[in-house]
Amino acid sequence: MADWQEITGGITAPRGYQAAGITAGLKPSGLPDLALIFSEVEAIAAGVFTTSQVKAACVEYCRQRLQAKQSARAILCNAGQANAATGTQGYLDTLESALAIAQALNISSESVLLASTGVIGQRIKMDALRSGIPKVVAALSQTGSDAAAGAIITTDLVTKSIALETTISDRPVRIGGIAKGSGMIHPNMATMLAFVTCDAVVSPHLWQQMLARAADRSFNSITVDGDTSTNDSLIALANGQSRTPAIIEWGAEAEKLEAMLTAVCQHLAKAIARDGEGATCLIEVEVTGAHDELSARQIARTIAGSSLVKSAIFGRDPNWGRIAAAAGRAGVPFEQENLQIKLGNFLMLENGQPLQFDRAAASAYLKKAATGAYLQQDTVLISVNVGNGYGVGKAWGCDLSYDYVKINAEYTT
């Protein structure tokens, strides 16, 4: 059983945080497009960012900020323009954005982190941003998580948020998070943004380590379409307002905090994968028997990212051969005669040998997932065993539908 419980409140559930989301006129649609997360005190800050060689200005800015100072008080996120591949002027726009929000909050610009999402190659609409900053600051609220979650999305069909609570040193500790992402999603992060708040006291070095491991087991284990973006950002704040003793080294309390952080990240990651553009179901792949966790995750990610596997799931075709082929090309050695494949409860391959199974029932299992409750009964489970090792890993993806092509063919038109 998990040593925490789900609570309401999203990113404002932890103590000492406020958030807001407004319409500033950045999106042509007129939908909310400017979000702000604010800690009432300086918070330890950690980040994981895109591995793409083409990085948005906000990513370069945040990396430099966190190298110089592992703390922050504010995260400002605009939606509508990615401000990626925008040259020197795009970076100057980022600096101006940080200074403007810092002045409005009466804090140092060194305590501001930034994120952007939208169309690559388009600069932020600075006039709209300038006029929106006083409004988003005025809208800050201890119940503003939902508004912020709604202001960071682009092609998402739903907002994504979660909050969990545990007990450390007999005091409640909370972690909340919001995220956006639907397409351009692939391991090593993707067109996704995620913001996490926590009220524990934790050392900067340990917090960064925890976040990196949580990212590997969540956001770096999802895939929608095989494309990695220019703007991926996962930023986590820990402001210490729970008043618990400081966690400065690895131990039981650090382990508990990291486990809850990972659970928050995994929930948000699965929500992103389920919301994949045109998707009708979530795919969860679990690989066991590998040499180590990294090898297991690599096989799982390859299966979850296979266009042929994803297409078969959308077609409600229990074509286990595509799963076997994807596992085999993952770059992880294993003996073919050890391979086992299950789709839900249907055992299809055992010891490398095909088995008879009820194809109609297996197809019905896939059809049922497409109509199941969101993130509950809408998940297709693929279980793969590759040997006798101790490595276990999971990855998440979604099916590949006709609508994915339509959505992305018309993205800028």
Side-chain angles (χ1 to χ4, degrees), residues 7 11-17 39 43 164-166 168 171-176 196-202 207 237-245 257 260:
I7 59 175
I11 53 169
T12 52
R15 291 166 182 79
Y17 292 98
S39 174
L164 301 178
E165 180 182 271
T166 191
I168 294 178
R171 292 186 65 86
V173 171
R174 298 171 180 175
I175 299 180
V196 173
T197 57
C198 175
D199 54 17
V201 184
V202 58
W207 189 233
L237 304 180
N239 68 6
Q241 292 302 287
S242 64
R243 307 299 183 187
T244 52
L257 187 68
M260 190 164 71

Side-chain angles (χ1 to χ4, degrees), residues 113-156:
L113 297 173
L114 301 171
S116 300
T117 183
V119 179
I120 295 171
Q122 292 188 4
R123 288 174 49 202
I124 301 169
K125 294 179 180 179
M126 293 304 294
D127 287 343
L129 185 77
R130 292 184 194 103
S131 63
I133 281 177
K135 299 174 185 176
V136 76
V137 170
L140 281 171
S141 165
Q142 292 180 352
T143 58
S145 180
D146 288 347
I152 66 174
I153 62 175
T154 51
T155 59
D156 306 54

Side-chain angles (χ1 to χ4, degrees), residues 162-249:
I162 183 72
L164 301 178
E165 180 182 271
T166 191
T167 301
I168 294 178
S169 298
D170 297 322
R171 292 186 65 86
V173 171
R174 298 171 180 175
I175 299 180
I178 61 172
K180 67 82 56 180
S182 183
M184 203 179 278
I185 302 293
H186 194 59
N188 293 324
M189 313 275 290
T191 291
M192 57 137 288
L193 302 176
F195 307 119
V196 173
T197 57
C198 175
D199 54 17
V201 184
V202 58
S203 72
H205 180 68
L206 203 57
W207 189 233
Q208 179 65 51
Q209 287 184 331
M210 289 179 179
L211 189 67
R213 285 191 291 263
D216 280 341
R217 293 168 177 160
S218 57
F219 299 111
N220 284 341
S221 293
I222 59 173
T223 183
V224 168
D225 47 23
D227 273 296
T228 298
S229 175
T230 56
N231 289 57
D232 308 336
S233 300
L234 165 61
I235 299 173
L237 304 180
N239 68 6
Q241 292 302 287
S242 64
R243 307 299 183 187
T244 52
I247 300 174
I248 58 175
E249 59 185 19

Side-chain angles (χ1 to χ4, degrees), residues 55-143:
K55 300 176 181 68
C58 58
V59 171
E60 296 286 9
Y61 168 87
C62 285
R63 280 181 161 167
Q64 292 179 23
R65 276 282 176 264
L66 291 174
Q67 285 175 359
K69 177 185 176 185
Q70 292 177 295
S71 66
R73 288 191 65 184
I75 303 170
L76 180 71
C77 177
N78 74 278
Q81 299 85 45
N83 200 24
T86 50
T88 302
Q89 189 56 55
Y91 193 75
L92 292 175
D93 291 342
T94 293
L95 295 179
E96 182 184 343
S97 301
L99 182 59
I101 192 66
Q103 291 176 340
L105 291 168
N106 195 28
I107 62 174
S108 167
S109 62
E110 294 180 352
S111 293
V112 173
L113 297 173
L114 301 171
S116 300
T117 183
V119 179
I120 295 171
Q122 292 188 4
R123 288 174 49 202
I124 301 169
K125 294 179 180 179
M126 293 304 294
D127 287 343
L129 185 77
R130 292 184 194 103
S131 63
I133 281 177
K135 299 174 185 176
V136 76
V137 170
L140 281 171
S141 165
Q142 292 180 352
T143 58

